Amino acid sequence: MKKILILGGGTAGTMAANRLRQELEPEEWEITVVDQSKIHYYQPGFLFIPFGIYKKRDVIKPRRDYLAPGINLIVSEIDVIEPDKNRVRIKEGGRWLPYDFLIIATGTHPRPQETPGLLDGEWYRSIFDFYTIDGAVNLSHRLRTWEGGRLVLNIVDMPIKCPVAPLEFIFLADWFFHKQGIRDKVELVYVTPLPGAFTKPKASKVLGHMLEEKNIHLIPEFYIERVDPERKVIISYEEEEIPYDLLVTIPLNMGSDVIARSGIGDDLNYVPTEKYTLKAKHFDNVFVLGDAGDLPTSKAGSVAHFQVDVFVPNFLRYIDGLDLLPTFDGHANCYIESGFGKGILIDFNYDVEPLPGKFPLPGLGPFSLLQESVINHWGKMIFRWMYWHILMKGRELPIPAQMMMAGKWS
Amino acid sequence: MSAVLEKVAVNDEGYLLNPDDWTPEIAEAFAKEMGIELTDRHWEIINFVRNYYKEKGQSPTLRQISTGAGVPTKELFKLFPKGPAKKVARIAGVPKPEGCI
Ligand SMILES: Cc1cc2nc3c(=O)[nH]c(=O)nc-3n(C[C@H](O)[C@H](O)[C@H](O)COP(=O)(O)OP(=O)(O)OC[C@H]3O[C@@H](n4cnc5c(N)ncnc54)[C@H](O)[C@@H]3O)c2cc1C
């Protein structure tokens, strides 16, 4: 019996496990998933919780329900990976799990402890995150009774997972305070280490323009060093200060600690990964899917989905002794919620930045790229249903994994 | 523009198109444009960035320079104000760091 061990049963690990289970004979291949938590979170839903659009119960499901029968689930923290011995130790009972093939899908996680001051007394009082369920829920309580003031959103450093989520947050905040009737009492400030609203030039221009229209103040190229929670200011490495009444932080994102403990990651605990095949650079029977790798594309659920689409057929070639094909192109596809029931959609890969056009059918859409529309908003809202019922069940979406240039104009 | 810079090919943002075209004179000229006077400490970092690029085929991020060259982030901001990673990359003749996507 050959063993496939999957570390992390989140977006990427769950999809990979289910798709491999469909393809591989149960008599020949054992598939085991290890995750520290029994709950599977729909993280894109965290964005909507602070504004009361979703509740906690809308974004959590039992992890077991989303793994096909015939997949073993072990609930335990992973302690260490020993790739040269083809084994992994879990915390529960100190047990060793041997493998023939390993898939690392342990994701990336916010680290507020890396920025001095964030956790010192004002955490979940005047300082919040929304990248965790606790942060999102606590912020929803705060916003319900907040009477206005200066709300500063600060991105500590890149890369972060879902690099559009902070923009979506500030767009939704604009809409939310309008709806509460206090927009005139709220100052919205978007503070980023990037030179503009977003990473890629064309999208950055469009999104920067939207910030302006919504009267959201953009402060680019600000590298936070620390927070003074008593004086309520964030302070940069160059000693510039920005005051706030309410601080929403996107803390430094880092890969799982088990990557560091195993000595197989870079300085942010990301595993060096081959760009086009998703194999770990230093190991021939290890693959890296989702946010855990160091690929130069966005860390996003949509990317994880396109990765799994190209990984599964490639893996089936590999175990038959064929070469891996260089089929992953870095494809990302993100809905950006822009408030007032509208959204924007961007589609890009390693080489091509987001361009205007129509998606997925050239010329027809129905979704518009890099342009606000009501239907893009519905694409985002329907995505939660698709996540649980199609993607996590190992079914395929009728969207090609590789990016298409048809339907885009530059 | 200085005479050294007139002869080299750069992209829209002023980064060298070909890292092999780089010379210490180019570094001096870029630094001057940015109002930075290069000291030994600057050179340590520039050399680190060039070696990093040679080895890994990509430019280091701020964090990678700080851990790799053992220079505190705060000092990097003093030496290369306003976006040290981008400034050193340009002076060292390597592409703009793509750490952020
Ligand atoms: C607020 C927010 C909004 C987002 N919006 C979008 C969006 O609109 N569109 C989009 O495409 N993406 C979005 N994303 C990003 C998306 O959720 C992630 O990119 C995606 O979940 C990555 O999948 P993954 O499998 O790599 O990691 P995850 O889904 O995070 O799974 C990693 C798993 O590994 C487990 N794990 C880690 N370390 C250990 C250990 N040591 N021991 C045991 N288990 C461990 C964790 O418990 C977790 O279950 C958003 C994310 C956030 C936070």
Side-chain angles (χ1 to χ4, degrees):
Chain A
M1 189 82 133
K2 292 223 171 87
K3 293 178 194 303
I4 298 175
L5 184 59
I6 302 179
L7 304 182
T11 310
T14 299
M15 281 190 290
N18 288 329
R19 294 279 289 281
L20 288 173
R21 192 63 292 170
Q22 288 164 10
E23 299 287 345
L24 298 169
E25 293 299 334
E27 302 80 42
E28 287 174 39
W29 291 87
E30 182 186 278
I31 302 177
T32 303
V33 173
V34 189
D35 201 292
Q36 62 208 1
S37 144
K38 282 195 182 118
I39 297 171
H40 185 147
Y41 294 97
Y42 175 62
Q43 298 176 50
F46 294 176
L47 170 70
F48 298 102
I49 290 177
F51 308 106
I53 302 169
Y54 286 170
K55 298 234 172 325
K56 188 170 175 176
R57 62 166 180 272
D58 296 322
V59 301
I60 59 179
K61 304 265 187 195
R63 198 177 301 281
R64 178 69 257 181
D65 293 2
Y66 288 85
L67 292 167
I71 297 170
N72 308 318
L73 171 65
I74 299 176
V75 178
S76 166
E77 197 180 335
I78 303 150
D79 193 13
V80 72
I81 305 167
E82 291 190 353
D84 42 342
K85 296 203 181 113
N86 297 324
R87 61 180 196 173
V88 167
R89 191 175 62 214
I90 55 173
K91 285 258 166 98
E92 189 222 75
R95 245 195 315 155
W96 287 101
L97 308 174
Y99 62 79
D100 295 285
F101 291 95
L102 183 71
I103 296 172
I104 300 179
T106 41
T108 183
H109 314 280
R111 309 288 178 125
Q113 66 273 27
E114 296 288 328
T115 303
L118 278 181
L119 296 179
D120 296 345
E122 283 293 310
W123 189 242
Y124 295 169
R125 290 168 198 266
S126 57
I127 307 177
F128 296 84
D129 75 308
F130 68 94
Y131 267 46
T132 59
I133 188 74
D134 287 347
V137 168
N138 276 294
L139 183 51
S140 76
H141 299 322
R142 186 72 201 90
L143 289 184
R144 256 182 96 79
T145 56
W146 198 50
E147 285 170 354
R150 190 171 153 96
L151 187 156
V152 170
L153 183 141
N154 173 236
I155 301 167
V156 168
D157 201 357
M158 302 297 284
I160 55 173
K161 59 179 145 185
C162 199
V164 297
L167 276 167
E168 299 184 272
F169 180 91
I170 208 85
F171 289 150
L172 284 174
D174 168 63
W175 161 81
F176 177 82
F177 294 125
H178 266 287
K179 202 181 54 133
Q180 303 283 92
I182 58 166
R183 182 62 181 90
D184 57 331
K185 297 199 186 90
V186 176
E187 207 183 330
L188 292 174
V189 188
Y190 190 82
V191 183
T192 168
L194 294 172
F198 192 56
T199 53
K200 313 247 175 171
K202 286 210 175 68
S204 185
K205 212 166 142 197
V206 173
L207 294 163
H209 190 65
M210 285 179 59
L211 286 174
E212 233 175 272
E213 275 182 347
K214 293 177 193 289
N215 195 18
I216 299 164
H217 184 45
L218 171 71
I219 303 183
E221 303 198 308
F222 184 93
Y223 290 85
I224 185 173
E225 185 197 18
R226 61 188 198 277
V227 185
D228 186 334
E230 262 145 52
R231 286 171 48 230
K232 292 195 167 41
V233 288
I234 56 175
I235 304 160
S236 75
Y237 281 105
E238 295 174 88
E239 298 293 329
E240 301 147 319
E241 297 193 347
I242 297 176
Y244 63 83
D245 295 307
L246 188 61
L247 176 63
V248 177
T249 177
I250 317 293
L252 181 68
N253 281 203
M254 285 174 77
S256 179
D257 287 332
V258 65
I259 304 301
R261 283 198 292 272
S262 313
I264 56 170
D266 63 14
D267 54 331
L268 289 172
N269 302 350
Y270 296 126
V271 184
T273 305
E274 286 182 2
K275 218 170 142 178
Y276 301 107
T277 67
L278 308 172
K279 189 179 80 56
K281 273 191 185 149
H282 306 299
F283 311 103
D284 282 337
N285 58 343
V286 181
F287 290 84
V288 186
L289 298 178
D291 297 347
D294 72 341
L295 303 180
T297 185
S298 283
K299 297 192 180 299
S302 68
V303 176
H305 156 226
F306 295 130
Q307 285 182 344
V308 171
D309 274 356
V310 298
F311 162 73
V312 171
N314 228 355
F315 183 73
L316 298 177
R317 287 175 57 87
Y318 198 58
I319 57 179
D320 285 343
L322 298 167
D323 286 344
L324 289 168
L325 298 173
T327 36
F328 184 63
D329 64 354
H331 191 185
N333 178 275
C334 304
Y335 288 94
I336 307 176
E337 198 52 23
S338 54
F340 299 94
K342 290 187 183 171
I344 301 168
L345 179 63
I346 57 176
D347 194 55
F348 57 101
N349 70 11
Y350 286 141
D351 304 314
V352 182
E353 65 168 315
L355 297 171
K358 291 283 182 191
F359 183 87
L361 299 176
L364 294 174
F367 301 114
S368 318
L369 294 168
L370 205 47
Q371 200 187 359
E372 248 190 322
S373 80
V374 172
I375 191 139
N376 288 342
H377 160 73
W378 286 108
K380 177 118 194 167
M381 299 320 267
I382 288 164
F383 199 77
R384 180 168 61 123
W385 186 88
M386 294 204 298
Y387 184 88
W388 294 122
H389 296 272
I390 299 184
L391 293 177
M392 289 309 120
K393 292 288 183 180
R395 301 194 179 109
E396 289 184 48
L397 273 187
I399 299 176
Q402 270 132 359
M403 199 189 83
M404 294 190 300
M405 274 313 282
K408 295 192 167 69
W409 53 85
S410 45
Chain B
M1 197 194 271
S2 85
V4 219
L5 294 187
E6 264 163 41
K7 281 178 265 160
V8 290
V10 294
N11 68 12
D12 315 343
E13 296 179 297
Y15 291 78
L16 285 198
L17 282 180
N18 180 2
D20 292 334
D21 289 347
W22 184 86
T23 60
E25 291 72 43
I26 291 177
E28 295 282 1
F30 276 150
K32 202 163 165 200
E33 256 187 34
M34 300 174 194
I36 299 172
E37 186 147 345
L38 297 180
T39 63
D40 289 352
R41 193 66 168 156
H42 288 96
W43 278 107
E44 255 174 58
I45 296 156
I46 295 167
N47 290 331
F48 169 82
V49 169
R50 284 198 62 78
N51 288 333
Y52 188 101
Y53 181 78
K54 242 182 250 156
E55 247 171 63
K56 311 226 172 178
Q58 63 190 42
S59 306
T61 60
L62 185 60
R63 203 166 290 276
Q64 285 157 348
I65 300 172
S66 172
T67 24
V71 182
T73 309
K74 196 124 189 168
E75 188 183 345
L76 287 173
F77 274 96
K78 285 228 171 72
L79 295 168
F80 303 93
K82 298 268 151 205
K86 274 181 284 172
K87 286 204 167 147
V88 197
R90 182 152 174 258
I91 295 174
V94 302
K96 186 164 146 183
E98 54 169 27
C100 38
I101 298 110

